[in-house]
């Protein structure tokens, strides 16, 4: 059951990151979950696990990491489209 909370929180983090970067409309739910989970790992690796935590994820570093991940992916996808 813990994995369900991890997916939900990952989706919300990815959704917030998409809204911050204005790339949320082009991302689906699976992309939001992946961006949230990968972003959470990146953010916590770079910034630590300070602040409030939900489902084992530090929210503020996770959102910052997800914004970084979404921005990088959007940059490279934008370049490949020409």
């Amino acid at each position: 059951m813990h994995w369900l909370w991890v997916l939900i929180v990952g989706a919300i983090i990815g959704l917030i990151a998409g809204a911050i970067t204005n790339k949320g409309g082009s991302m689906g739910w699976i992309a939001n979950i992946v961006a949230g989970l990968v972003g959470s790992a990146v953010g916590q690796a770079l910034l630590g696990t300070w602040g409030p935590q939900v489902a084992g994820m530090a929210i503020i570093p996770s959102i910052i990491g997800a914004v970084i991940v979404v921005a990088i992916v959007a940059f490279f996808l934008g370049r490949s489209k020409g």
Side-chain angles (χ1 to χ4, degrees), residues 6-74:
V6 170
L7 292 177
I8 292 170
V9 173
I12 293 169
I13 290 170
L15 186 66
I16 292 169
I20 290 171
T21 60
N22 292 324
K23 303 295 181 193
S26 62
M27 293 172 44
W29 278 103
I30 293 175
N32 279 333
I33 292 170
V34 170
L37 294 176
V38 172
S40 178
V42 169
Q44 291 182 79
L46 294 175
L47 303 171
T49 57
W50 52 273
Q53 295 192 9
V54 178
M57 292 183 241
I59 299 301
I60 297 169
S62 295
I63 291 172
I64 294 169
V67 166
I68 293 168
V69 168
V70 169
I72 290 171
V73 169

